Amino acid sequence: MKSELFKKAESMLKFSYSPYSHFCVGAALLCTDGTIYTGCNIENAAYGPSNCAERTAIFKAVSEGKKDFVAIAIVGGKNGVIEDFCPPCGVCRQVLAEFCKKDFLILLKDKKNQVKEFTLEQLLPESFSL
Ligand code: THU
């Protein structure tokens, strides 16, 4: 499961639209029904409208009726070359918290193929919700 998610996340690096930062990010989101939604970061000349890879994947899934998720794999690096772990930004953590339970898994991988695994609760404790 993890290796397939990482493979799909890595395969998204080539689609990253990042002419401003040149930092490419790929994500693969596993739904409870076994389907996988992928995403890449999509930047914008006005910067603010840019979208992270994780949110691209979540929004693709939610827009097709999926709302139950198990895990997300995320990789990234300058010019698409993975170096360090690429943890999700604060906005993406909050968006994940909208749909995912505390035990949702966030999977990260670096260039040495070392894997880090966190629950959403670990990365966003005491999160805000209504
Ligand atoms: N980025 C992501 O796609 N996900 C994150 O969680 C952090 C940052 C993107 C946004 C921007 O296109 C580039 O990485 C550099 O910040």
Side-chain angles (χ1 to χ4, degrees), residues 16-27 39-44 47 50-56 74-78 86-93:
S16 166
Y17 178 75
S18 41
Y20 305 103
S21 73
H22 304 287
F23 193 89
C24 305
V25 184
C40 64
N41 56 328
I42 304 167
E43 298 185 347
N44 188 279
Y47 292 4
S50 299
N51 204 50
C52 291
E54 301 89 317
R55 276 177 287 146
T56 302
I74 310 160
V75 294
K78 197 91 178 165
C86 182
C89 77
V91 172
C92 287
R93 292 178 198 202

Side-chain angles (χ1 to χ4, degrees), residues 6-49:
F6 278 122
K7 201 170 143 194
K8 285 199 188 279
E10 275 181 58
S11 77
M12 294 305 288
L13 292 172
K14 63 180 175 292
F15 298 129
S16 166
Y17 178 75
S18 41
Y20 305 103
S21 73
H22 304 287
F23 193 89
C24 305
V25 184
L29 176 68
L30 176 65
C31 305
T32 46
D33 68 1
T35 52
I36 295 172
Y37 283 81
T38 54
C40 64
N41 56 328
I42 304 167
E43 298 185 347
N44 188 279
Y47 292 4

